[in-house]
Amino acid sequence: DIQMTQSPSSLSASVGDRVTITCQASQDISNYLNWYQQKPGKAPKLLIYDASNLETGVPSRFSGSGSGTDFTFTISSLQPEDIATYYCQQYDNLLPMYTFGQGTKLEIK
Amino acid sequence: QVQLQESGPGLVKPSQTLSLTCTVSGGSISSGSYYWSWIRQPAGKGLEWIGRIYTSGSTNYNPSLKSRVTISVDTSKNQFSLKLSSVTAADTAVYYCARGDIVFYWGQGTLVTVSS
């Protein structure tokens, strides 16, 4: 199985701060890595797909990078509406299953 | 606009089988080349992928749940379903249905509680 190690598990930052979350895969997953935002009581929302592609309609302050085993998700300037939990997800179909990271709960300082 | 809606009992007794259905609207479940998945989330915890079914009917399951999970599709009703057997309290969660490897479309989620 592929394990996804996401860090940190929680993060407190101020409005306007640059925020970075990392996700490490236990083996090479190329760029088969997505990032989701989940607000309480809601289904997750796709933000970034294939490691670095911004989903249509998602603000450009969100970005992703990486390939292989190491991936980064960045919010360039934190906004109050970004308070949520963020998850990475791998979908390497050579090992046909999806795996989510443990999640990062983002709070405003 | 594709929409997914979960349905099924909100309360299941321990040792029984949890059964949920996802109804797809706004598009045919048979069109395109998509995986249709079930994902769950215990209260206050992270997301766990349960399994998926392809439009051809082939399935893949999370190894940790494989012995208890069956996912099936009914193209005539534009639905796919989840059965999870021998449930315990640890299976209490919000269950989501979803489309694709890159999941843009999610159901709203349905809470299933396992309790006597």
Side-chain angles (χ1 to χ4, degrees):
Chain A
D1 300 358
I2 297 177
Q3 308 300 320
M4 303 301 295
T5 303
Q6 185 176 340
S7 62
S9 57
S10 65
L11 178 57
S12 182
S14 300
V15 172
D17 280 355
R18 184 181 184 87
V19 170
T20 298
I21 299 168
T22 64
C23 201
Q24 184 172 59
S26 59
Q27 61 191 79
D28 191 331
I29 57 169
S30 185
N31 67 333
Y32 300 127
L33 192 284
N34 306 318
W35 291 96
Y36 300 88
Q37 175 193 66
Q38 187 180 33
K39 296 185 177 181
K42 300 293 187 182
K45 175 187 176 182
L46 177 67
L47 300 180
I48 303 286
Y49 64 94
D50 291 344
S52 61
N53 295 293
L54 190 68
E55 175 59 28
T56 302
V58 174
S60 59
R61 64 180 180 275
F62 296 100
S63 65
S65 65
S67 67
T69 60
D70 294 302
F71 301 87
T72 301
F73 172 82
T74 300
I75 306 173
S76 61
S77 178
L78 184 66
Q79 299 302 303
E81 60 266 32
D82 300 336
I83 299 312
T85 301
Y86 293 84
Y87 294 93
C88 62
Q89 174 233 344
Q90 72 80 21
Y91 68 97
D92 186 344
N93 282 310
L94 292 180
L95 287 132
M97 66 174 289
Y98 307 149
T99 312
F100 290 91
Q102 299 92 329
T104 297
K105 186 174 184 179
L106 180 55
E107 298 175 331
I108 293 284
K109 193 180 292 183
Chain B
Q1 175 79 345
V2 174
Q3 294 185 330
L4 291 78
Q5 178 69 57
E6 304 89 352
S7 60
L11 181 63
V12 181
K13 288 180 167 46
S15 80
Q16 293 190 343
T17 296
L18 178 160
S19 296
L20 295 174
T21 296
C22 182
T23 301
V24 179
S25 58
S28 170
I29 201 169
S30 300
S31 66
S33 301
Y34 295 111
Y35 289 103
W36 302 88
S37 285
W38 288 97
I39 296 162
R40 69 181 184 179
Q41 185 172 37
K45 296 188 178 180
L47 299 162
E48 179 181 34
W49 177 74
I50 300 169
R52 68 184 186 185
I53 188 163
Y54 194 56
T55 49
S56 66
S58 66
T59 54
N60 302 111
Y61 300 128
N62 187 325
S64 69
L65 298 169
K66 186 174 183 178
S67 64
R68 300 194 289 131
V69 174
T70 302
I71 296 175
S72 59
V73 63
D74 186 337
T75 55
S76 67
K77 294 182 179 180
N78 228 33
Q79 296 175 335
F80 64 107
S81 298
L82 168 70
K83 291 188 185 299
L84 180 66
S85 64
S86 304
V87 296
T88 69
D91 295 309
T92 294
V94 173
Y95 285 74
Y96 294 100
C97 57
R99 190 190 85 168
D101 294 331
I102 301 168
V103 185
F104 183 81
Y105 294 111
W106 297 74
Q108 65 184 24
T110 188
L111 174 63
V112 178
T113 302
V114 178
S115 175
S116 56

